[in-house]
Amino acid sequence: MDYIKAFIIGGLICVIGQILIDKTKLTPARILVIYVVAGTFLELFGIYRPLSEFAGAGASVPLTGFGSNLCRGVIKAINEKGFLGVITGGLTAAAAGISAALLFGFLVALIFKSKPKK
């Protein structure tokens, strides 16, 4: 049942993105930013955590989950360090994901040869 819940919630998040691409003039980069900001605000208002607990990876893997993770890290760091946590909290919370993305991106760049568009 966990797989079905993750598939449905993750699929709905993707459907919203596809509708935004098809029906608006928003670029994919702007839609990605909207997703991160939406995840941040949903976490701030206490909506994203129950959704993430319900859907598991279906809610935590998309970019909305990244925004939620940043927000959670900032809130925790503010409670521990004060105002300095605004700067350090998000980076600390997302450090593992960012490091993995950089490492795997570098490895893929070493393995495959990129070609310019023609």
Side-chain angles (χ1 to χ4, degrees):
M1 192 64 177
D2 290 338
Y3 294 119
I4 294 170
K5 290 189 280 187
F7 178 78
I8 290 171
I9 299 300
L12 285 174
I13 291 171
C14 293
V15 164
I16 292 168
Q18 190 63 49
I19 290 170
L20 289 172
I21 288 171
D22 292 344
K23 301 295 182 185
T24 68
K25 293 184 179 186
L26 292 172
T27 63
R30 288 186 179 171
I31 293 170
L32 296 178
V33 170
I34 289 169
Y35 270 14
V36 173
V37 172
T40 302
F41 278 107
L42 290 172
E43 180 66 35
L44 186 62
F45 294 122
I47 298 169
Y48 205 80
R49 187 175 305 249
L51 178 67
S52 184
E53 289 171 0
F54 172 77
S60 63
V61 171
L63 279 174
T64 50
F66 180 69
S68 169
N69 190 25
L70 289 175
C71 184
R72 229 177 300 137
V74 169
I75 291 169
K76 180 180 175 188
I78 287 173
N79 291 335
E80 292 175 357
K81 300 176 186 174
F83 187 72
L84 183 62
V86 171
I87 299 169
T88 62
L91 294 174
T92 303
I98 293 170
S99 298
L102 289 171
L103 175 66
F104 291 125
F106 178 71
L107 291 175
V108 168
L110 288 176
I111 296 169
F112 299 101
K113 184 176 179 183
S114 63
K115 299 174 189 171
K117 283 187 170 181
K118 292 182 182 184

